[in-house]
Amino acid sequence: MNYVCDACGWIYDPAEGDPDGGIAPGTAFEDIPDTWVCPVCGVGKDEFSPLD
């Protein structure tokens, strides 16, 4: 499932991950460390919402 940043609209796609942020492709959002932040605006993981 994809998640969207509530602050800036960036979409986390588990298939792509966030390699620049140290998140390997194939990593589920739930498995991302709580210290990870949005690569665009810097808000925390708690500022993301699931996309249907």
Side-chain angles (χ1 to χ4, degrees), residues 6-25:
D6 297 330
C8 74
W10 183 79
I11 295 173
Y12 176 78
D13 180 348
E16 295 180 14
D18 176 24
D20 292 339
I23 308 300

Side-chain angles (χ1 to χ4, degrees), residues 6 29 43-49:
D6 297 330
F29 188 80
V43 299
K45 185 178 166 184
D46 60 335
E47 298 287 327
F48 279 72
S49 298

Side-chain angles (χ1 to χ4, degrees), residues 2-40:
N2 292 349
Y3 281 73
V4 62
C5 178
D6 297 330
C8 74
W10 183 79
I11 295 173
Y12 176 78
D13 180 348
E16 295 180 14
D18 176 24
D20 292 339
I23 308 300
T27 303
F29 188 80
E30 295 80 9
D31 295 333
I32 296 173
D34 290 337
T35 55
W36 177 81
V37 297
C38 177
V40 174

